[in-house]
Amino acid sequence: MRLLFLGDVMGRSGRDAVSERLPGLIAAYEFDFVVVNGENASHGRGLTESHYADLRAAGADVVTLGDHAWDQRDTLTYIEREPTLLRPINFAPGVPGRGANLIESRNGHRVLVINALGRVFMNPADDPFRAVEAAIAACPLGEQADAVVVDFHTEATSEIQAMGFFLDGRASLVVGTHTHIPTADARILKAGTALMSDAGMCGDYNSIIGVDAEEPLNRFLTGIANGRFTPAEGEATLCGVAIETDDRTGLTTNVSPVRVGGTLSQSAPFA
Ligand SMILES: [Fe+2]
Ligand SMILES: [Fe+2]
């Protein structure tokens, strides 16, 4: 299988880039399955139902969230009827939605997608390692699942590395989201799991992590809020990671970073 993962979609610029470029990427590289992190798609804060529909229409088979999951209040209700929208699996027990699901690809492959939240430099959450492990145990790679994709939404590269080694041989891809800055460490671990510390964002990189630079810079310089954070509106770079898996084992045979369009240095899938 060929799978594409795209990092946090940031505001209108990110949404437009996904709508304009994702269908062409799927066609050109014959991706069987696409996961997109949508936690910042609606003005940088959460994901409205109509923006969720836009990401799905562009080709996202599954949309994941993160610490901004509930920034748009309507997500608390519509997530209940959307099996392809995932919020972190280690939120408090009983909150709306689900953190993992087995989804069938357009050509009949079964992909287990899991969204989890880290705990280093993040707000308190339940243990992400045991939560992810339980989801995989219920639906193991190479048995019930033809591929397993874990979006681990966290700040520290050490924590995402730990998740990668924890799941080596049990997942196809462990990829970080949340920092909005792509890392240069995509590789395949010894037992066949692809690991990348952060996918980067789908947003305008002429910014501070997707936000117009003026106000965050002001806050670093003065410590005084002088306005709101607003998403930068220049052309977005689509950032993420592409993998090819062995159809028999579900393990990864090829991994490459993806950066398309906008101002960031470019990297095509499987280049
Ligand atoms: Fe984000
Ligand atoms: Fe986040």
Side-chain angles (χ1 to χ4, degrees), residues 8 37 39-40 66-68 117 122 153-154 177-180:
D8 311 37
N37 184 297
E39 74 145 6
N40 307 112
D67 54 313
H68 289 283
L117 200 61
M122 303 291 284
H153 194 83
T154 194
T177 53
H178 178 69
T179 75
H180 294 193

Side-chain angles (χ1 to χ4, degrees), residues 21-176:
R21 293 182 184 273
L22 180 54
L25 274 176
I26 293 169
Y29 295 95
E30 299 180 330
F31 285 111
D32 301 293
F33 200 82
V34 178
V35 181
V36 176
N37 184 297
E39 74 145 6
N40 307 112
S42 298
H43 207 69
R45 290 184 286 271
L47 181 66
T48 64
E49 186 165 14
S50 83
H51 292 158
Y52 165 72
D54 291 344
L55 297 178
R56 293 277 286 126
D61 294 286
V62 173
V63 177
T64 52
L65 294 166
D67 54 313
H68 289 283
W70 311 131
D71 286 4
Q72 302 290 332
R73 300 295 290 179
D74 70 332
T75 310
L76 288 162
T77 51
Y78 82 80
I79 195 171
E80 292 283 15
R81 56 178 183 269
E82 294 296 340
T84 53
L85 177 63
L86 303 179
R87 48 76 174 159
I89 195 168
N90 53 328
F91 274 170
V95 303
R98 69 199 88 198
N101 208 357
L102 187 70
I103 305 293
E104 197 163 309
S105 73
R106 64 210 89 195
N107 51 7
H109 295 290
R110 301 156 302 167
V111 183
L112 175 64
V113 183
I114 307 170
N115 187 204
L117 200 61
R119 296 189 294 186
V120 178
F121 307 128
M122 303 291 284
N123 289 328
D126 290 348
D127 181 347
F129 294 91
R130 273 62 175 214
V132 171
E133 184 171 51
I136 292 176
C139 204
L141 183 64
E143 297 176 33
Q144 279 85 354
D146 298 308
V148 173
V149 174
V150 179
D151 170 0
F152 192 27
H153 194 83
T154 194
E155 186 76 39
T157 49
S158 56
E159 194 178 17
I160 176 76
Q161 301 287 291
M163 185 65 84
F165 279 84
F166 181 61
L167 298 179
D168 190 17
R170 298 191 282 174
S172 314
L173 172 68
V174 176
V175 58

Side-chain angles (χ1 to χ4, degrees), residues 204-218:
D204 175 9
Y205 277 87
N206 185 21
S207 69
I208 295 176
I209 64 169
V211 174
D212 264 335
E214 186 180 340
E215 178 58 16
L217 177 58
N218 161 66

